[in-house]
Amino acid sequence: MDITWYQDFLALAETGKFTAAASLRQCSQSTLSRRIQLLENHLATQLFDRRVTPIRLTPSGKALTPTASELVRLSQECEQSVRVLDHPLTFASLHTLACNFFPQWISQYSTLDEPLFTRIDTGHKSTENYYMSLVSGRSDFILFYRDIESERYFQRDDFEVLSLGTEELYWVGTPEMAKLCQQSHGTIPWLTYARSAQLHELSRPQVARHPEPNRLKRTFEATVSEALKPMVSLGMGIACMPHNMIAPLVEEGRLVRLYPDMPSNHLEIILVRWLGNHDATADTFWKRLSSN
């Protein structure tokens, strides 16, 4: 078995076409097809349904995808680990928190005189993968929102959790969309998080509180807030979004908070570590956070 087989598999799963996947992998189509066949033979299962275009993953292919992603990621980090002598503090983070919370938060602990060497990784696709990154040593901390699914992990004795604060989640839209919501009885375009995103589940209470849920029509979904924000700011629909993500646009008047009488959701931001990680730098940083 070769790790390139899994790289080929992920490229084909992403593109759905052998020609596009071969271009992405910088190899011939015949070479990529042969390696996919070798992987299927090795696993004794069919990973793709080739009867349709673009081709689709079979149930076995869908089941393999998260593990294949982890294998490729681990392979890349193995290669990187022998190239660097100074290892950063690594945070496995939700994309939203990485872009809108982490920079200001970490700046409290990293100065020009005493800079911290940090790394942030937003590539994990599920809660399980985040925690796998902790116990495998590929990350030192998880930066997350507290939710029911993650509770079953960090309530264990071998994890520690720090609360870093809270932020609000509420409905926003352009002033024009606000008028549509108030003055019309027609359809309201709804921009939402994909079901694989943690914020999809966390936004459910806001969706349930919507005064006219029958008017909502899902017109766009994304796995990250950075993809939702431009759609909302261009007036393509309304969305439930974290305050840190859209606060500047609200202050500028480009977005407004919708349904101001509706209670917002308060999301707790947490940092999680695994006690099996014996890295001295990570331990020192955690003690510094705990003492504040």
Side-chain angles (χ1 to χ4, degrees), residues 207-226:
V207 176
R209 293 187 189 113
H210 193 280
E212 299 177 286
N214 293 336
R215 293 181 63 193
L216 293 176
K217 180 177 176 60
R218 191 189 307 266
T219 58
F220 177 76
E221 65 176 32
T223 58
V224 295
S225 296
E226 283 72 18

Side-chain angles (χ1 to χ4, degrees), residues 263-275:
S264 61
N265 282 69
H266 293 272
L267 308 180
E268 183 181 4
I269 303 168
I270 58 173
L271 194 70
V272 186
R273 77 158 178 168
W274 179 53
L275 295 179

Side-chain angles (χ1 to χ4, degrees), residues 89 91 101-118 141 143 162-165 269 271 281-282 284-292:
L89 286 176
F91 296 79
F101 174 82
F102 181 81
Q104 184 173 359
W105 172 73
I106 201 64
S107 68
Q108 303 172 68
Y109 306 99
S110 182
T111 65
L112 293 177
D113 295 331
E114 297 183 49
L116 274 177
F117 183 21
T118 57
F141 309 104
L143 185 59
L162 282 178
S163 178
L164 304 183
I269 303 168
L271 194 70
T281 304
T284 299
F285 181 69
W286 186 267
K287 289 178 180 177
R288 183 180 177 186
L289 295 177
S290 302
S291 64
N292 289 343

